[in-house]
Amino acid sequence: HNPPAQTGRIPATGTIVDATGGATINAARRADYAAAAGAVLTEAGHVGKTYELGGTGFTLADLAAIITDVTGTTVLEHGVSVAELTAI
């Protein structure tokens, strides 16, 4: 989850600033989480089961490339330390 300040900064700066160290992220839409929670809470057969609610993993550099491809505006990923990110 990107805080609103980071999300708003991406179009303005053309940069995704992160401290992920190139780690992959799995994401799902909030609607998908809500649908899964609703099913688990209202239907039988889910006790003790684990569900993975993410798609194919991606890095923030991958995300920057996708944003660039879709919008035509160059967006770059810029990795920083946790301390640097906290100071932003």
Side-chain angles (χ1 to χ4, degrees):
H1 172 71
N2 273 329
Q6 170 77 334
T7 304
R9 190 179 304 129
I10 294 169
T13 65
T15 305
I16 298 173
V17 180
D18 70 276
T20 62
T24 55
I25 300 165
N26 287 315
R29 299 175 315 135
R30 288 181 182 162
D32 294 336
Y33 290 126
V40 167
L41 294 171
T42 61
E43 299 172 4
H46 300 285
V47 174
K49 293 192 176 180
T50 302
Y51 300 98
E52 177 59 47
L53 301 176
T56 303
F58 59 92
T59 66
L60 290 179
D62 296 332
L63 179 60
I66 291 167
I67 294 170
T68 298
D69 289 344
V70 170
T71 66
T73 300
T74 300
V75 174
L76 303 172
E77 180 269 346
H78 178 70
V80 297
S81 70
V82 171
E84 290 171 310
L85 186 61
T86 303
I88 293 175

